[in-house]
Amino acid sequence: MRALSIVGARPQFMKLAPLSRAFSAAGITHTILHTGQHYDHSMSDVFFDELKIPRPDINLAVGSGSHGAQTAQMLEGVEKVLLSQNIDCVVVYGDTNSTIAGALAAVKLHTPVAHVEAGLRSFNRAMPEEINRIATDHVSDVLLAPTHTAMKHLSNEGLASRSHFTGDVMLDTVLFNRKLADSSRILDKLGIAGQGGYALATVHRAENTDSAERLKGVLGGLEKVGARIPVFFPIHPRTRKCMSDIQFEFGADSNVNLIDPLGYLDLLELAASAQLILTDSGGLQKEAYFLEVPCVTMRDETEWTETIESGANKLAGAIAEKIESCADEMIGSKVAYDPVHFGAGNAAELIAECVVNLQ
Ligand code: UD1
């Protein structure tokens, strides 16, 4: 079995890491293609280094661009690779432009496609990720679902016969790296080792960054939380640009500390020791739950409804006062991870089995 993994954006590298180990244990010949969607050292290389993922065999170096241009270049690049190599299965991850480009190029060449993190739905079609998810699920041959809710969505769309519940590969990654993250010096670097509570915040969703009103609401919310506990905010390059476009600056006495994007181990350590996580990222909502840290999600809906049902997460939208009141409610609340939701941390092994069975 020769599998080609297609990745390109930060959250995909964390999903690839456990699969790269599981594929090798299952005797799968594994090639890694990086589309180049994320290219900054802090958005890409650092994850390959820290998570000990083999260097990509191929890098399309597509870089930034409009959705159409970026996806089209990837589609063309992946097709060329598939035409020149013998690949039995293409594996795509999550919901980015790299995911849909990889899936579409492969299915048109009749190469079976396995979709890791299938079946997620926000039911918000204004999100580029929602379109990528729906389209990828419908063209893929094997749908690997991280939750039972995802299985239900796939079944509702007539895709049950291609779907498998595997649990979430991001849980595999958290469990594997939790001990290693103890060696991170991030708390010392930020001067907060042993210093009581702080909140970790991230913001990068287009729905928040590309609307001045929403972005002001979210950043205003962080400022309000900062009045209670210090907020550490590793900032995505696009968010930094959007903040400067609307000329937003945190007040001089605000306790919101902007820092550069973090590597995986530093982020894991900072998240695990936080009193509260404020985010619009799908991945961090789950990591908060796995690490049993309460979370406030600065979105109107979430694909990860299990985190809400378990009381670990609260939706605050992009309104500063709502973010503040949700943070007040969540600080100090107890969170306990229930394996019924995202599996037992062996998703990569189960996915490797599904891929081997494609033969
Ligand atoms: C993409 C995914 C999103 C995922 C996110 C994780 C899509 C549609 N969206 O969004 O689902 O949660 O990755 O970060 O695929 N940039 C840099 N350096 C980089 C990468 C990006 O400066 O290494 C800046 C550029 O200005 C670029 C912008 O960020 O134009 C957007 O990057 P892009 O990869 O298109 O989307 P993300 O916003 O990161």
Side-chain angles (χ1 to χ4, degrees):
M1 165 57 69
R2 287 153 306 193
L4 173 73
S5 275
I6 297 180
V7 291
R10 186 167 60 173
Q12 293 169 327
F13 311 139
M14 300 132 185
K15 291 167 194 152
L16 171 63
L19 273 177
S20 147
R21 287 191 298 274
F23 281 0
S24 139
I28 297 171
T29 306
H30 189 204
T31 305
I32 298 174
L33 182 152
H34 190 319
T35 61
Q37 178 170 353
H38 286 175
Y39 43 85
D40 286 353
H41 177 82
S42 63
M43 296 292 284
S44 178
D45 298 350
V46 65
F47 297 95
F48 284 84
D49 294 345
E50 285 187 347
L51 297 170
K52 309 217 166 15
I53 307 168
R55 288 277 137 192
D57 301 278
I58 304 151
N59 193 324
L60 299 180
V62 161
S64 303
S66 67
H67 283 266
Q70 189 183 54
T71 311
Q73 275 188 56
M74 292 175 188
L75 195 50
E76 197 180 355
V78 174
E79 184 179 63
K80 273 196 192 126
V81 169
L82 288 174
L83 286 171
S84 67
Q85 301 208 6
N86 273 330
I87 297 294
D88 301 310
C89 172
V90 162
V91 186
V92 295
Y93 300 77
D95 56 14
T96 74
N97 290 342
S98 301
T99 316
I100 179 62
L104 209 47
V107 71
K108 292 282 186 92
L109 293 171
H110 308 154
T111 305
V113 181
H115 182 202
V116 175
E117 206 177 80
L120 273 290
R121 297 292 180 266
S122 64
F123 301 100
N124 174 359
R125 288 172 61 91
M127 292 175 71
E129 294 88 351
E130 182 76 352
I131 306 302
N132 291 340
R133 288 176 196 130
I134 296 171
T136 302
D137 282 340
H138 282 259
V139 300
S140 294
D141 300 276
V142 187
L143 300 171
L144 304 153
T147 63
H148 297 288
T149 311
M151 288 293 281
K152 209 160 65 208
H153 294 149
L154 292 169
S155 165
N156 290 345
E157 293 175 27
L159 301 172
S161 63
R162 300 185 228 164
S163 309
H164 307 260
F165 173 80
T166 60
D168 196 317
V169 279
M170 284 193 62
L171 176 57
D172 299 22
T173 306
V174 167
L175 295 177
F176 189 85
N177 290 288
R178 185 63 199 91
K179 275 264 151 292
L180 295 174
D182 286 345
S183 66
S184 152
R185 299 262 66 89
I186 187 69
L187 301 181
D188 289 332
K189 244 194 258 167
L190 297 174
I192 48 173
Q195 284 228 345
Y198 65 88
L200 165 66
T202 74
V203 179
H204 79 275
R205 286 275 169 207
E207 72 212 66
N208 282 337
T209 58
D210 296 2
S211 145
E213 194 192 332
R214 288 188 70 97
L215 187 56
K216 277 185 201 148
V218 164
L219 300 174
L222 300 189
E223 217 161 23
K224 285 181 183 294
V225 176
R228 287 173 171 59
I229 48 173
V231 176
F232 289 89
F233 181 17
I235 188 161
H236 187 290
R238 189 160 49 74
T239 310
R240 192 182 278 283
K241 183 173 172 301
C242 295
M243 258 175 82
S244 117
D245 287 349
I246 63 165
Q247 296 176 350
F248 184 96
E249 274 180 36
F250 289 108
D253 55 351
S254 87
N255 211 344
V256 181
N257 305 278
L258 281 182
I259 55 179
D260 285 335
L262 295 172
Y264 185 75
L265 296 179
D266 282 348
L267 186 95
L268 198 57
E269 182 63 12
L270 197 57
S273 309
Q275 239 192 327
L276 178 72
I277 289 177
L278 298 144
T279 191
D280 61 6
S281 147
L284 197 52
Q285 286 173 58
K286 288 184 291 176
E287 283 160 344
Y289 184 35
F290 302 154
L291 296 167
E292 306 190 320
V293 175
C295 183
V296 171
T297 293
M298 301 179 291
R299 287 182 50 196
D300 299 330
E301 71 282 306
T302 177
E303 303 77 33
W304 306 106
T305 49
E306 296 76 7
T307 60
I308 305 281
E309 285 149 20
S310 67
N313 188 9
K314 246 185 157 23
L315 286 176
I319 299 163
E321 291 70 25
K322 185 84 199 286
I323 294 168
E324 181 185 30
S325 65
C326 286
D328 277 350
E329 275 177 62
M330 293 306 278
I331 289 174
S333 71
K334 286 266 163 296
V335 173
Y337 174 65
D338 184 344
V340 79
H341 290 139
F342 294 89
N346 61 344
E349 238 171 84
L350 299 176
I351 291 171
E353 250 173 65
C354 291
V355 169
V356 167
N357 288 338
L358 271 170
Q359 263 170 333

